[in-house]
C-alpha cells in the first residue's frame, strides 16, 4: 500500500519502539510508524509500516497475533518486502503469538489509541452458529473458506486444483508434479486396482477421484460439503470423460450412502471433524469397508499439545473456523480403537512447507487477478495465512501425517504383502 502515513493523534511513546519490543528485533526487520518513529537497520530487507493509529487500537482489543493480523488485513499495517521473510524474522510471535505478560504491557501503553480509535473487527471474520461440529455449523464453516470463488482457487492452486499437501519426488519438482505424485502415493498405499470402489471423503475439487478413475480404472465416489467444489469437480469429471467411473457429490461424510468399498481416502478432512467425533468418524468409515479394505488418513497435526496450546485465533477467525488439530498419536489411537489395524505412518511436513511456498508464488504471480476476484482484504488473508503456515511446517509447529489402516479379515489376516513397495509396509 502506498500513500502518506497518518499523523499521530494522541501523545504516547514512539510507536516503532513499542512494536519492536513486541515482535522482536532482527537485522532483517525494520519498523516505521505514522508518528515518524523507526526502529531497526535502514538496510533491512523487510520493513513493517504502521500506517494508522487504528492498528494500535486493534492491538489493544486483541493484543496478539489476531490483532496484528486484523491490522494487516485492513492495511493499517503493511509490509514492504517479502512477507514470509518478515514473519520468519518475528517467528516467535508468528507461531506462538505474544506472551501474556507482554500483552498486558502492550495494552497499557496503547490504551489511549484504543479509546480514540476502537472499531469492530473486519467483516471477513467467520462466526459460524449452532452446535459445534453439527452438520449445519460444519456446512457454514466449510462454506466460509471453500465457497469463496473457484476462479480464485485456480489462481492459487494451479491446474491440479488440489488444496492439500503435495509429495515432492525431488527438490526440483514442480507443484503439479508433486501433486500428481501425492495422488500416486495414496493410490499405492491403498493398493488400488481396476474395478475397485473408492470412497474419497472431503474430496475437494475431486483430484483423488479423477486420479483413481483415470490412472487405475477405479470406480470412485467423492463427497464434499462445499457446493462450489462439488460443481467444479463434477464438471471436470465430465470434461475429462470420466463420468462412467467417477462422481462427486455435495454431501456430508455422515450422509454417505451405505455400500461396501474397497478403499477409503480422507485427504484433509480430519482437521474439520473435531476430537470428540474422531471415534464415530473412523467407525463409520470402517463399516463401509470390505474385510481387507484399507483407509488412508492424511491430515495436519500438532507435534505436541501442552495445555496452553489452542488453534491460532487468526486461523480460527479468518481461515478454518472450528478447525481442530490433534497430535498424530490421537489420530492413530482413534483409528485403532475404531477397529483398524495400523500398517504405516509417515510425516510429510517438509513437503507441506514446499507446497505452501508454491501456492504463495502462484498467488503473487496472479495477485492483480486474485484481488479483482475476491477483494484486497481476502487476498491479504490468504497471503498472510500461507506465509505463516509455511513457516509453521518448516519449524515443526505443525505437521502433516498420513496414516494407513486396514480392516482385518475374520481370521485376522490383513492381505498385506510381507514388504510393500520400497519396504514401506
Amino acid at each position: 500500500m502506498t500513500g502518506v502515513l497518518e499523523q499521530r493523534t494522541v501523545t504516547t511513546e514512539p510507536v516503532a519502539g513499542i512494536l519492536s519490543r513486541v515482535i522482536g528485533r532482527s537485522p532483517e526487520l525494520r519498523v516505521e510508524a505514522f508518528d515518524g518513529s523507526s526502529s531497526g537497520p535502514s538496510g533491512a530487507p523487510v520493513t513493517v509500516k504502521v500506517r494508522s493509529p487504528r492498528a494500535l487500537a486493534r492491538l489493544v482489543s486483541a493484543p496478539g497475533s489476531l490483532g496484528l493480523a486484523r491490522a494487516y488485513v485492513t492495511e493499517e499495517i503493511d509490509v514492504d518486502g517479502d512477507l514470509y521473510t518478515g514473519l520468519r524474522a518475528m517467528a516467535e510471535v508468528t507461531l506462538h503469538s505474544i506472551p501474556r505478560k507482554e500483552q498486558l504491557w502492550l495494552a497499557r501503553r496503547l490504551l489511549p489509541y484504543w479509546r480514540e480509535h476502537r472499531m469492530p473487527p473486519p467483516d471477513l471474520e467467520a462466526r459460524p452458529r449452532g452446535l459445534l461440529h453439527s452438520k449445519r455449523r460444519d456446512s457454514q464453516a466449510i462454506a466460509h473458506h471453500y465457497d469463496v470463488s473457484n476462479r480464485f482457487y485456480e489462481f492459487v492452486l494451479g491446474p491440479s486444483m488440489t488444496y492439500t499437501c503435495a509429495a515432492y519426488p525431488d527438490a526440483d519438482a514442480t507443484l503439479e508434479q508433486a501433486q500428481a505424485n501425492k495422488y500416486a502415493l495414496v493410490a499405492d498405499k491403498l493398493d488400488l486396482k481396476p474395478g475397485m470402489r473408492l470412497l474419497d471423503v472431503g474430496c475437494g475439487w475431486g483430484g483423488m477421484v479423477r486420479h483413481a478413475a483415470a490412472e487405475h480404472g477405479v470406480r470412485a465416489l467423492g463427497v464434499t460439503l462445499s457446493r462450489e467444489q462439488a460443481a467444479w469437480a463434477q464438471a471436470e469429471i465430465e470434461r475429462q470423460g470420466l463420468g462412467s467411473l467417477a462422481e462427486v457429490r455435495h454431501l456430508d461424510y455422515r450422509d454417505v450412502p451405505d455400500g461396501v468399498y474397497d478403499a477409503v481416502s480422507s485427504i484433509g478432512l480430519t482437521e474439520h471433524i473435531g476430537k470428540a467425533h474422531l471415534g464415530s468418524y473412523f467407525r463409520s468409515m470402517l463399516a463401509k469397508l470390505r474385510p481387507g479394505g484399507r483407509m488412508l488418513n492424511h491430515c495436519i497435526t500438532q507435534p505436541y499439545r501442552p495445555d496452553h496450546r489452542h488453534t491460532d485465533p487468526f486461523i480460527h477467525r479468518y481461515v478454518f473456523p472450528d478447525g481442530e488439530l490433534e497430535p498424530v498419536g490421537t489420530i492413530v489411537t482413534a483409528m485403532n480403537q475404531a477397529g483398524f489395524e495400523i500398517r504405516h505412518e509417515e510425516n510429510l511436513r517438509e513437503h507441506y512447507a514446499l507446497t505452501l511456498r508454491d501456492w504463495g508464488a502462484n498467488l503473487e504471480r496472479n495477485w492483480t487477478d486474485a484481488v479483482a476476484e475476491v477483494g484486497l482484504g481476502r487476498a491479504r488473508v490468504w497471503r498472510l495465512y500461507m506465509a505463516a503456515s509455511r513457516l509453521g511446517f518448516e519449524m515443526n509447529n505443525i505437521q502433516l501425517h498420513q496414516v494407513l489402516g486396514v480392516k482385518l479379515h475374520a481370521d485376522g489376516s490383513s492381505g498385506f504383502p510381507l514388504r510393500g513397495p520400497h519396504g514401506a509396509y
Side-chain angles (χ1 to χ4, degrees):
M1 175 180 172
T2 60
V4 178
L5 301 182
E6 293 187 24
Q7 296 299 309
R8 186 165 125 186
T9 57
V10 295
T11 302
T12 186
E13 298 179 43
V15 170
I18 295 174
L19 194 61
S20 291
R21 168 167 168 172
V22 170
I23 66 176
R25 299 177 187 273
S26 164
E28 294 188 309
L29 202 62
R30 178 175 173 82
V31 178
E32 297 178 358
F34 57 86
D35 64 348
S37 63
S38 63
S39 177
S42 58
V46 177
T47 299
V48 175
K49 294 191 172 183
V50 186
R51 295 193 171 276
S52 166
R54 290 189 296 273
L56 306 182
R58 295 197 189 279
L59 280 171
V60 177
S61 61
S65 61
L66 179 59
L68 288 168
R70 283 171 171 169
Y72 177 76
V73 168
T74 54
E75 302 177 82
E76 294 151 5
I77 285 180
D78 212 343
V79 176
D80 283 358
D82 180 58
L83 180 60
Y84 164 78
T85 301
L87 294 178
R88 191 173 183 88
M90 55 176 103
E92 188 60 32
V93 170
T94 302
L95 300 182
H96 305 296
S97 195
I98 300 171
R100 181 63 176 167
K101 182 178 179 181
E102 289 293 295
Q103 288 184 10
L104 295 173
W105 179 89
L106 181 67
R108 285 196 296 269
R109 277 154 181 78
L110 300 183
L111 189 59
Y113 291 101
W114 177 78
R115 288 172 176 155
E116 187 169 343
H117 299 283
R118 55 185 167 180
M119 68 210 75
D123 59 10
L124 289 171
E125 294 190 10
R127 301 193 180 275
R129 298 182 179 182
L131 185 65
L132 182 64
H133 295 304
S134 64
K135 291 179 182 179
R136 179 173 177 271
R137 178 159 172 159
D138 279 353
S139 181
Q140 294 174 44
I142 292 299
H144 170 82
H145 191 70
Y146 295 99
D147 288 348
V148 173
S149 159
N150 285 332
R151 182 169 170 76
F152 174 74
Y153 277 102
E154 289 172 355
F155 293 141
V156 176
L157 304 181
S160 75
M161 283 294 278
T162 299
Y163 189 31
T164 48
C165 175
Y168 287 73
D170 56 67
D172 296 325
T174 66
L175 175 62
E176 293 306 305
Q177 290 169 334
Q179 291 293 11
N181 188 58
K182 184 266 299 297
Y183 288 132
L185 176 65
V186 173
D188 181 50
K189 290 180 177 180
L190 292 174
D191 195 28
L192 295 184
K193 291 181 171 60
M196 281 186 168
R197 293 190 66 196
L198 169 71
L199 172 63
D200 187 35
V201 286
C203 69
W205 287 269
M208 185 65 206
V209 169
R210 297 194 308 277
H211 175 89
E215 302 297 328
H216 300 276
V218 168
R219 292 177 294 161
L221 170 64
V223 298
T224 172
L225 265 180
S226 166
R227 289 185 183 276
E228 291 202 14
Q229 283 182 338
W232 190 99
Q234 193 58 39
E236 185 65 10
I237 286 170
E238 299 301 329
R239 190 188 71 80
Q240 294 186 18
L242 298 172
S244 63
L245 289 174
E247 179 186 3
V248 167
R249 300 179 189 173
H250 174 237
L251 198 65
D252 192 291
Y253 75 89
R254 288 162 285 200
D255 296 326
V256 171
D258 291 336
V260 179
Y261 295 88
D262 299 284
V264 173
S265 52
S266 175
I267 307 175
L269 174 63
T270 319
E271 302 93 325
H272 300 289
I273 288 174
K275 183 178 181 180
H277 297 270
L278 287 176
S280 61
Y281 168 66
F282 286 119
R283 286 192 299 272
S284 70
M285 295 300 107
L286 185 82
K288 296 183 187 304
L289 280 171
R290 63 163 174 83
R294 303 180 183 186
M295 177 176 184
L296 188 285
N297 193 81
H298 166 125
C299 71
I300 302 170
T301 66
Q302 291 190 23
Y304 52 86
R305 193 178 176 87
D307 292 342
H308 68 279
R309 284 289 297 271
H310 300 286
T311 302
D312 181 86
F314 164 66
I315 298 294
H316 177 72
R317 295 287 184 90
Y318 286 89
V319 185
F320 294 116
D322 296 341
E324 297 181 37
L325 302 184
E326 303 299 331
V328 65
T330 301
I331 303 296
V332 169
T333 297
M335 288 183 69
N336 188 248
Q337 290 180 341
F340 285 98
E341 181 184 54
I342 306 303
R343 302 294 304 199
H344 187 256
E345 184 280 327
E346 66 176 314
N347 186 355
L348 300 176
R349 72 174 176 87
E350 292 90 352
H351 294 260
Y352 218 156
L354 294 174
T355 306
L356 286 154
R357 176 202 65 186
D358 290 346
W359 287 342
N362 282 347
L363 177 60
E364 296 305 323
R365 189 162 45 247
N366 296 296
W367 181 255
T368 300
D369 289 335
V371 170
E373 183 68 20
V374 299
L376 182 58
R378 194 176 296 278
R380 285 170 76 92
V381 166
W382 268 75
R383 177 190 269 167
L384 178 59
Y385 129 70
M386 288 192 297
S389 296
R390 173 186 171 186
L391 182 62
F393 282 107
E394 287 179 346
M395 299 189 69
N396 196 33
N397 196 54
I398 41 179
Q399 299 177 346
L400 188 288
H401 285 264
Q402 287 190 348
V403 182
L404 179 65
V406 62
K407 180 177 181 176
L408 295 176
H409 291 271
D411 62 0
S413 61
S414 67
F416 274 70
L418 292 178
R419 298 295 290 172
H422 315 295
Y425 313 137

